[in-house]
Amino acid sequence: MMIVTLEEAKSYLRVDFSDDDNLITSLINTADEYLKAAINPTYDATSGRAKMLALIVVGDLYDNRELSEKVSGNTRRLVQNFALQLRLESGDYIA
């Protein structure tokens, strides 16, 4: 079960077409993985705060998916956080 539905995400993004449904679904799954790594693997996915955070992550990734030279500060932080989480999970982090 996804933390937010495709319909919830499309409403948040104000998308009323189906061309990006696969992309948005992928972003929802990415947001869920992010929250599992940032909070813990068993976080409460029914929490309103967790759902809103997932929508914020989906929104930032969706809105900034085509940036070529200039990356938003939010996206840069997300990328840095993703990278750190993956390093920590793999045991490759050196302080």
Side-chain angles (χ1 to χ4, degrees):
M1 183 167 103
M2 292 191 291
I3 183 164
V4 295
T5 66
L6 176 61
E7 292 74 26
E8 289 170 323
K10 287 176 72 169
S11 175
Y12 180 82
L13 297 170
R14 295 187 177 133
V15 171
D16 60 359
F17 51 87
S18 60
D19 296 354
D20 288 346
D21 284 4
N22 288 336
L23 170 63
I24 295 168
T25 298
S26 177
L27 297 177
I28 293 168
N29 291 328
T30 300
D32 182 51
E33 289 178 18
Y34 176 74
L35 294 179
K36 286 178 181 174
I39 302 168
N40 73 49
T42 59
Y43 77 96
D44 181 9
T46 63
S47 162
R49 289 177 296 164
K51 287 182 174 289
M52 182 52 64
L53 185 53
L55 289 171
I56 291 168
V57 171
V58 167
D60 188 64
L61 294 172
Y62 184 80
D63 290 343
N64 296 297
R65 69 192 176 282
E66 295 181 6
L67 292 176
S68 57
E69 294 180 19
K70 185 176 178 184
V71 177
S72 79
N74 290 336
T75 301
R76 184 173 290 115
R77 282 188 293 281
L78 279 172
V79 169
Q80 290 170 343
N81 286 339
F82 281 172
L84 177 59
Q85 290 169 6
L86 291 170
R87 284 193 302 270
L88 289 170
E89 290 170 6
S90 69
D92 291 338
Y93 181 74
I94 299 173

